[in-house]
Amino acid sequence: MARSDLRRRFEEIYLAHYADLLGYVRRRTESPEDAADALAETFATAWRRIGDVPAGPSARLWLYGVARRVLANGRRAETRRSALVERLGAELGQGDDRDWTPDHEDLDAVRAAFRRLGPDDREVLALVSWEGLGSAEIATVLGCSRGAARLRLHRARKRLTKELTRAGVDMARYGVRMPALAGGEA
């Protein structure tokens, strides 16, 4: 099938089933942003697998199946994140933070690495580390979806890690406390 035919077929499927799928994911998600993320992922899958989408009314059922798996994947990811947050909280609760003091040189290196990040990276890291916000709250502050907020946070953490590694900071020594070392300079 020619690319223009594939595109036309996708557009027909999209137009015919968008409203039904939007209702399906909206009834199964907590926010319009989560619904939009699930809907986008569903149609992205349909585009990638356009040759697998059945013709006629069966296409809607196929799309429902894709949406169901997209939503299930999202729930599993959220469960993993929640479990990680609980585990890290328990680990931090066991440690005695009163005895924990960073090296002065490390503290300076962390602050310098933080300042080298772009303003968007500094902001998302500050929201999670200093303000204690979760991805849903960060999404509200930034005016984006939870998925976009999680992605921004992930990328910002990777860029901070790269800067810290360049500076020779032993990040294993500080673990989850690392973002807090940068101080209150957003």
Side-chain angles (χ1 to χ4, degrees):
M1 199 180 276
R3 185 150 176 90
S4 61
D5 293 336
L6 294 174
R7 181 178 176 173
R8 186 173 25 258
R9 178 147 191 267
F10 176 79
E11 288 172 351
E12 289 169 1
I13 290 167
Y14 181 87
L15 292 173
H17 302 296
Y18 176 86
D20 290 335
L21 279 169
L22 177 59
Y24 179 88
V25 298
R26 223 14 220 126
R27 286 185 290 276
R28 289 161 176 82
T29 54
E30 295 181 18
S31 71
E33 293 81 12
D34 289 343
D37 288 346
L39 191 62
E41 183 61 30
T42 299
F43 278 112
T45 300
W47 172 249
R48 284 191 308 272
R49 297 186 52 204
I50 193 72
D52 296 335
V53 180
S58 295
R60 183 176 68 138
L61 301 178
W62 187 89
L63 289 167
Y64 281 161
V66 171
R68 184 176 143 292
R69 287 184 290 281
V70 165
L71 292 167
N73 288 342
R75 283 190 296 275
R76 279 192 298 277
E78 188 64 36
T79 300
R80 284 191 304 272
R81 277 189 295 280
S82 296
L84 178 61
V85 166
E86 286 180 32
R87 192 180 86 225
L88 289 175
E91 288 175 10
L92 287 176
Q94 292 172 359
D96 187 358
D97 284 346
R98 290 172 298 193
D99 295 336
W100 176 75
T101 53
D103 291 342
H104 182 71
E105 289 176 12
D106 281 355
L107 189 55
D108 290 342
V110 171
R111 286 186 175 141
F114 186 78
R115 283 192 298 270
R116 285 192 299 272
L117 296 174
D120 291 340
D121 286 347
R122 288 193 310 266
E123 178 64 16
V124 74
L125 289 169
L127 288 172
V128 75
S129 298
W130 302 332
E131 309 307 329
L133 301 183
S135 56
E137 296 162 317
I138 292 171
T140 301
V141 171
L142 298 179
C144 63
S145 70
R146 282 175 44 183
R150 287 189 300 265
L151 182 62
R152 289 180 188 183
L153 180 58
H154 172 74
R155 289 178 176 167
R157 284 177 172 156
K158 285 183 77 168
R159 285 189 276 269
L160 179 59
T161 298
K162 188 175 182 181
E163 289 294 331
L164 293 169
T165 300
R166 268 192 218 147
V169 175
D170 178 14
M171 295 179 298
R173 177 170 180 229
Y174 300 107
V176 295
R177 296 180 185 112
M178 181 54 73
L181 290 177
E185 310 160 11

